[in-house]
Amino acid sequence: MPALPAYVTLQPGEGLRAIIAQDRQVQLLTDGILTSVGLMLAMMLKTALDGGLQRELSGLGSGMLTTFVFLAGPLVIQRIFGARPAYALTTHRLILAEDDVIELRQIRRIRVWLTSVSLQTETRRVSLQHLPNAPAVARLIRDTLTR
């Protein structure tokens, strides 16, 4: 089990069930797919614009790509090397961050996506993202709810 995050403090009578860590490789794969789709859409838009203006097809030029690299590069680097929060599941709560906690009794619906688990309470929706085994995490949360 990964180390307990510093912001997690257990209340009296509460036990730790699991530390749910995000996976860097899952995030990189998701970001790569979204980036590829975005670049394909940009190429299609540029081609459609060239066709609509009846000029020679030029595609994305080096100036446009350089601008994209300088604008989006720092954001991409921050996303790749930034800290990923680890979620802590206890017998009574799901601790998302230092100031963000969900009481398990408040959870009304759990939905599993490919690499994420979406939790619905009466007031908000929370998504645990970039999980290597999202169905197992959802099953663990469901099992903890029934205890």
Side-chain angles (χ1 to χ4, degrees), residues 5-128:
Y7 56 83
V8 175
T9 55
L10 298 177
Q11 297 174 346
E14 184 177 42
L16 181 67
R17 294 272 295 152
I19 300 294
I20 304 166
Q22 294 184 18
D23 190 349
R24 181 180 305 271
Q25 291 178 346
V26 172
Q27 179 186 2
L28 288 175
L29 177 64
T30 304
D31 292 347
I33 290 170
L34 291 176
T35 302
S36 298
V37 169
L39 287 174
M40 285 189 308
L41 289 174
M43 282 296 296
M44 289 176 13
L45 178 65
K46 181 73 166 120
T47 302
L49 183 62
D50 286 343
L53 295 175
Q54 297 177 351
R55 60 183 179 194
E56 185 178 333
L57 299 178
S58 61
L60 294 177
S62 62
M64 198 174 217
L65 287 175
T66 303
T67 302
F68 176 76
V69 167
F70 281 113
L71 289 177
L75 296 173
V76 170
I77 290 172
Q78 179 184 7
R79 183 152 171 93
I80 290 172
F81 294 112
R84 281 159 193 69
Y87 312 114
L89 178 65
T90 68
T91 53
H92 303 304
R93 305 177 294 159
L94 179 62
I95 304 169
L96 304 170
E98 186 173 354
D99 57 349
D100 195 6
V101 176
I102 296 176
E103 296 289 330
L104 292 181
R105 67 179 185 277
Q106 294 175 344
I107 296 174
R108 299 292 177 239
R109 185 176 190 184
I110 299 174
R111 297 177 72 182
V112 179
W113 297 98
L114 293 174
T115 60
S116 65
V117 174
S118 177
L119 305 172
Q120 178 83 38
T121 67
E122 289 186 18
T123 58
R124 69 182 188 149
R125 181 178 301 183
V126 175
S127 181
L128 309 179

Side-chain angles (χ1 to χ4, degrees), residues 1-5 19 86:
M1 184 180 296
L4 189 66
I19 300 294

